[in-house]
Amino acid sequence: MIEIQEVNIKSLELKVNQFNSFISNILISEKKTEGDVVLIFCSDEYLLEINKKHLNHNYYTDIITFDYCVENIVSGDLYISIDRVKENSKTFNDSFINELSRVVIHGVLHLCGYNDKTEADQKNMRNLENKYLAMNK
C-alpha cells in the first residue's frame, strides 16, 4: 500500500494514485512484492532535523529513505524535501513533477536494495532512474 503524508508544507494536492501505479511497476520490474511505502513530503528544515538526528549529517538533502523491507517485501518511509525538489527542478531545468518522480524512484530503488555509495553505483542508479522515469511518461 502506498500512502502520502505532508508535514510542515503547504498541501501539494497530490493523489496516491499518481505514484501508486509507477511504484508498483518498478517493484514488478525488480521482482519485488509491495508492502507499505509511505511518501512523506516535507520542508527542508524538517528533513534537516531528521538528517541530523538519525544520520548525524548537518546538511540539506532531497530524500532520506528508511528501509523496513523483509525478504522480498518492499516497505519503507521516504522523507522527501519539497524545497529541495523545487530547487533541483530549477537547477536541472526540469519540471517539478519530473524531479519529484525521480526522487521517489530513487528512494524506491534504495528499498529494492540499490546503493549509491560509489561512482559506479551512482551511475547505475541514475540509469535506472532514467529507465523508470521514461516508463512513467
Side-chain angles (χ1 to χ4, degrees), residues 23 25 28 37 54 62 66 85 88 104 113 126 128:
I23 290 173
N25 288 338
I28 290 167
V37 177
H54 295 281
D62 52 4
F66 290 97
V85 171
N88 288 345
V104 170
R126 181 53 58 137
L128 287 168

Side-chain angles (χ1 to χ4, degrees), residues 2 16 18-28 34 37 39 74 78 104-105 108 136:
I2 310 298
V16 171
Q18 289 177 276
F19 294 97
N20 201 13
S21 64
F22 94 86
I23 290 173
S24 294
N25 288 338
I26 293 169
L27 297 178
I28 290 167
E34 184 178 309
V37 177
L39 308 175
V74 172
L78 307 179
V104 170
I105 291 166
V108 171
N136 187 40

Side-chain angles (χ1 to χ4, degrees), residues 102 109 120-133:
R102 179 179 297 281
L109 289 172
D121 288 343
Q122 291 168 9
K123 184 176 181 181
N124 185 44
M125 290 258 311
R126 181 53 58 137
N127 288 338
L128 287 168
E129 288 169 18
N130 289 336
K131 169 187 168 183
Y132 290 124
L133 198 56

Side-chain angles (χ1 to χ4, degrees), residues 105-121:
I105 291 166
H106 185 88
V108 171
L109 289 172
H110 276 305
L111 294 177
C112 289
Y114 293 95
N115 291 306
D116 55 4
K117 301 264 187 234
T118 68
E119 196 172 308
D121 288 343

Side-chain angles (χ1 to χ4, degrees), residues 35-52:
D36 294 322
V37 177
V38 183
L39 308 175
I40 301 115
F41 300 124
C42 58
S43 67
D44 262 352
E45 295 307 318
Y46 189 85
L47 196 54
L48 178 61
E49 289 307 310
I50 291 172
N51 212 6
K52 288 177 183 177

Side-chain angles (χ1 to χ4, degrees), residues 71-120:
E71 296 177 1
N72 208 39
I73 301 170
V74 172
S75 296
D77 295 335
L78 307 179
Y79 286 84
I80 298 169
S81 168
I82 295 305
D83 298 321
R84 284 300 94 217
V85 171
K86 286 178 181 175
E87 187 67 31
N88 288 345
S89 71
K90 291 175 188 170
T91 299
F92 300 120
N93 197 29
D94 203 356
S95 72
F96 170 76
I97 196 66
N98 275 357
E99 185 60 24
L100 181 59
S101 297
R102 179 179 297 281
V103 172
V104 170
I105 291 166
H106 185 88
V108 171
L109 289 172
H110 276 305
L111 294 177
C112 289
Y114 293 95
N115 291 306
D116 55 4
K117 301 264 187 234
T118 68
E119 196 172 308

